Each structure stands twice: as C-alpha cells, then as structure tokens.
Amino acid sequence: MTASYFVIGASHRSCSGAIRDRLTTEEAEVPAMLERLNAAGIAQAMWLSTCDRVEVQAVHERPNEAALTIAGIMAERVGLSEPDLAGQLYTLTGPAAVRHVFAVACSLDSQIVGEPHILGQVKAAHRHAAAAGLSGPELEGLLQAAYAAAKRVRRETPIAEGATSLVAAAVQVARDLHGDLKRCTGLLMGLGDMGTLVLEGLREAGLGRLTVAAPVDRRAEAAARRMDSHFAPWADIDSALTGADIVVTAAGLGRYILSAQQLGAALKRRRRRPVFVVDAAIPADVDPDVAGLDEAFVYDLGDLERVALQGRVGREAATQAAWTIVDEAVATFARHRAERAAVPAVAALRTHFETERRRLLDEQRGLDAASATRLLVNRLLHGPSEALRAMAADPDGAGLAERAAAERLLFRLFRLAEDEPAGTGLSAGTGLSAGGDLDKDDRREPGREVQ
C-alpha cells in the first residue's frame, strides 16, 4: 500500500485561542508526543507547535485512520472528548496536505504573512522528528522540497519585507515617544509570533528590560527563559503594566486582554508617564477604548503598516507571487514523486528482459545475431500477447475495454506509430501476427518450448 501525506491540527483559522493555548506544546514536551505517535504506529511524523498552530505533518498508508488516532491524542491533551475537539481541527490529505506543508514553511499560512519565525520552527520540529527516528524518506523528501520553496520565496519576492517594515515602524514610534530605549521597560502580553518579532526588534534597538506574561503561565515562563527576560505570572499583570513603558500584546484569544480600566489604573500609578501600546494580535487584544486614554499611544498592525508606508497592493502582489512559487514547487514535487514511484516497475522490467536475454544466449549458443534477436523478441512478447488474447476472449465483454486500454498504453510506452490499426496487436517486426499469435516459423524455438 502506498504511503500518503496528511496533516491534522488546529490553527488560528480553525480553533479558539483558549483551545490552542491548551494544545500548545513546549519544546521539552515534543519528544514525548512523538513517542506517543510512534507507539500508535505512525512511523513518519513531525509535531509542529507554534503560536499560530499545533499540527502533525505525517506520512501513513492509511492517512484517515492515522489522523483519527492523532485527533484522539490531541483531545486527551486538552481534556476534551474527540467529538468536542473535532470541530476545531482540520485534516488534509494527499496533494492538499503537501500544499499546506509548503505554505506553512513559506509563511503564507501565518497570521502575518511573511513573518520569519515559522521556517525556523518547522526546522526545529524536523530535528525533533529525526532525533526520535520518525523522519523517514517520504517525510524527509517533503520537508526538503518545502525548504527549497521557502528559500525561493524569500529570494524572489519581497514578502518578508512587510513584516520587517512593521517592526522598523514600531521601533521608530517607540523612539519618537520615549527617546533612548535603554531606559525603557517592555512587557509582552501573549506569545504570538508578530509580537515576539516586534519585541526582538525593540531589543535590538536597545530596549533595557523585558518582561513576558501570557494567559498560560508555563508557556510564558518557558518563553522568558528562551528570550533571556523576566517572567510575570498572569495574575500579576496589573503590577507588570505599571512598570511598562512599551506594551506589546500578542495573544489573539478573540477577547480583549487589555482594557481601558486596566491601563487607566496603571497610568495613574505611573503618574501619567506615557505608554506605547502595540496590538500585534489578530483578532485584536486591546479594547478600542484604550486609545481614548491620555498618555496611551495605541498602534495596531494596520497603523504600523501606514507608518512604514507599506501599500496593501504591494503586499498582495508579493503574496500572490509567493503562492505562484509554491504551486510550481508542489507540482514539481508531485512529478518527481510519481517518477520515483515508477522506478521499481521499470527496474523489474529491465531485470526480466536481461534474465530472458541471458537465458536465450545460454540455451542457443552459436546462434547468429539476427536469429538470436528474433527469438528474444518473441520470448519477451509471448506473455503480453497471451494476456491480450485472454482479455479479448472475455465472455462478458469487459476484457475488450481492458484490452483497448492496454493497447493504448503499449502504444504510449513504446512510442509506436499513431496510425497503427487499433485492435491488431503488435504486428510488423515483432513476430506477432494480426491476431496476436507468434508467426508460424517462430512458434517453437530450437531446444525450448514456447511458454
């Protein structure tokens, strides 16, 4: 049975933020999840967990059954029944799964198209799969092709410039408001990729101190360690807001995590020192009323885009160009895979021909070249001609259609003349008569019965 690609998971498109948070897997937990997949009989799989998605990219002979198994593992992780979670998961198989894997690696399925983190996250998940012994030849081939497509997208389109320009705009506004960023403290609320990207840009620009908080404390604490920053429990967010000169929200839970009342109280405690707020989430994290507070300067991604003078038309053109590259790469990958799938059959045919050639030479030593080649052709065509006759003799008529299809395939495989009469079998020069029989003189080879 042929192995097929499939993907199952939950993303910002399919799943609520609360469920996605519970499903999110920290890097230290990934080996255990891969071990569960292996124990369930899924021998080629990668567990990808980012702020936008948690999904398994895998290969299996029965992809739908394997996807149901993984759905059960995911449901157990979030403490829901499989039917309750099923509506928040997506499952893709075959070509759709391949295209999805390419799109994810190329940052075309991210909340912020072109954000640069995802490719590194895919490669990290790939390394975990390889370490667990779950990166077989089919999965390896798919991922290497996806990486090549991502490289082309980065090289041939300006798709990454949009995300980079948003970060540069955030740094510019922060400096305009606060001056030297070394004296500033930043607070990251949530762990979305765009928010993390903005904070990285601010730190590169000299941000003095960073605190990380998120609705799930264990995730925030792990992220704080990775980012070499401070951790604040979500229960202490009001205290963290008081000390923050720059607040970046990146939770995307579908509800506001920063209210006007919250920030108003923090500004009062700050004695009206201004706060720069970047809402880097989709959907929005910041209550619109926050923008009405004195000394609160709120920018969402659209505002930053306008600061960066990044036109929407240009971004859409870059995205379309990137999708064109992905579709070309997917088609090339599918063609190469089909070509590789034909290799065993071609090899078997070549081996059969070589075996018959050697057998004939052993049996008919001293035969001249013309006779030897004629006998070899007859031997090689005997089996196919018998099969064609059997199809034509099928009493219910089904064999006639099968024979016609077989003949069409023979004409294609051996590039026979297009005007060859249909239904006549292989005639001139093959040792077969119009009815598909061996010519009279070649019905029996010296020293060997015709098989």
Side-chain angles (χ1 to χ4, degrees):
M1 187 178 296
T2 304
S4 296
Y5 295 108
F6 73 97
V7 176
I8 179 170
S11 75
H12 60 284
R13 301 182 192 280
S14 72
C15 183
S16 72
I19 294 296
R20 206 163 67 245
D21 263 348
R22 289 157 65 184
L23 193 56
T24 298
T25 312
E26 296 303 325
E27 189 169 4
E29 301 174 292
V30 171
M33 302 311 299
L34 292 172
E35 187 176 339
R36 291 205 60 184
L37 297 181
N38 194 18
I42 301 165
Q44 293 190 60
M46 184 176 82
W47 186 284
L48 176 63
S49 180
T50 75
C51 297
D52 287 342
R53 77 190 66 253
V54 178
E55 68 183 31
V56 174
Q57 302 175 359
V59 185
H60 202 271
E61 291 81 3
R62 293 178 294 279
N64 292 319
E65 292 179 23
L68 287 174
T69 298
I70 295 170
I73 293 172
M74 290 181 168
E76 181 181 331
R77 179 170 178 80
V78 298
L80 293 175
S81 67
E82 291 181 43
D84 288 340
L85 182 62
Q88 305 207 52
L89 299 178
Y90 51 85
T91 301
L92 303 169
T93 59
V98 171
R99 190 172 192 259
H100 175 84
V101 170
F102 278 57
V104 168
C106 294
S107 190
L108 291 175
D109 196 58
S110 300
Q111 290 193 56
I112 305 300
V113 172
E115 61 86 10
H117 284 121
I118 183 63
L119 184 58
Q121 293 165 329
V122 171
K123 289 183 176 181
H126 184 186
R127 287 194 295 272
H128 279 295
L134 296 186
S135 182
E138 289 85 6
L139 183 60
E140 187 71 25
L142 174 66
L143 293 173
Q144 293 301 333
Y147 297 155
K151 184 177 180 179
R152 278 194 63 196
V153 166
R154 295 282 170 182
R155 185 179 65 245
E156 299 177 22
T157 77
I159 192 170
E161 293 175 7
T164 303
S165 64
L166 294 180
V167 174
V171 171
Q172 176 186 325
V173 175
R175 282 176 169 158
D176 290 346
L177 182 63
H178 291 300
D180 188 359
L181 297 183
K182 291 180 181 178
R183 299 192 297 268
C184 294
T185 295
L187 172 62
L188 177 61
M189 297 174 62
L191 301 174
D193 288 336
M194 194 62 204
T196 304
L197 195 63
V198 169
L199 257 305
E200 287 177 356
L202 289 167
R203 295 185 86 179
E204 289 175 4
L207 182 68
R209 176 185 171 95
L210 173 62
T211 299
V212 178
V216 179
D217 285 343
R218 64 176 176 80
R219 292 190 59 209
E221 192 168 9
R225 285 195 299 270
R226 288 196 304 270
M227 300 171 71
D228 192 24
S229 60
H230 300 276
F231 158 70
W234 195 249
D236 297 341
I237 198 67
D238 289 343
S239 176
L241 280 168
T242 301
D245 304 297
I246 301 170
V247 177
V248 178
T249 66
L253 299 179
R255 58 180 173 81
Y256 300 135
I257 63 170
L258 182 59
S259 68
Q261 181 180 3
Q262 259 184 314
L263 191 58
L267 284 168
K268 186 175 181 180
R269 293 190 295 271
R270 288 172 57 82
R271 299 182 181 181
R272 301 298 170 181
R273 284 183 291 122
V275 175
F276 174 37
V277 179
V278 178
D279 189 344
I282 301 174
D285 283 336
V286 179
D287 185 336
D289 290 341
V290 170
L293 297 173
D294 291 338
E295 306 305 326
F297 298 85
V298 183
Y299 284 68
D300 62 17
L301 295 175
D303 298 324
L304 293 177
E305 186 176 47
R306 284 186 285 276
V307 171
L309 301 178
Q310 177 75 13
R312 183 176 178 82
V313 173
R315 184 181 65 202
E316 290 183 346
T319 300
Q320 185 56 51
W323 273 114
T324 298
I325 291 172
V326 165
D327 287 335
E328 289 174 359
V330 168
T332 299
F333 176 76
R335 184 174 68 253
H336 288 171
R337 189 167 187 243
E339 290 170 354
R340 286 194 298 272
V343 167
V346 173
L349 185 63
R350 184 181 294 275
T351 299
H352 171 65
F353 281 13
E354 177 63 16
T355 299
E356 290 298 323
R357 186 184 74 86
R358 290 180 178 278
R359 183 179 297 161
L360 185 142
L361 291 176
D362 288 342
E363 293 173 355
Q364 308 295 335
R365 295 182 183 278
L367 208 61
D368 63 89
S371 299
T373 52
R374 184 187 56 184
L375 292 176
L376 178 60
V377 168
N378 285 342
R379 282 195 182 186
L380 294 177
L381 291 179
H382 178 71
S385 65
E386 288 292 312
L388 288 171
R389 276 199 300 273
M391 293 174 193
D394 190 341
D396 63 8
L400 291 175
E402 187 180 8
R403 180 192 177 197
E407 288 188 343
R408 285 194 298 271
L409 182 59
L410 286 173
F411 274 81
R412 180 180 176 186
L413 289 176
F414 292 98
R415 300 179 181 179
L416 303 179
E418 293 183 2
D419 58 352
E420 186 78 22
T424 62
L426 303 175
S427 54
T430 63
L432 291 177
S433 67
D437 291 322
L438 291 169
D439 289 338
K440 181 178 180 181
D441 291 342
D442 295 324
R443 289 177 186 271
R444 190 181 300 272
E445 301 170 8
R448 184 174 187 267
E449 294 292 326
V450 175
Q451 300 298 313

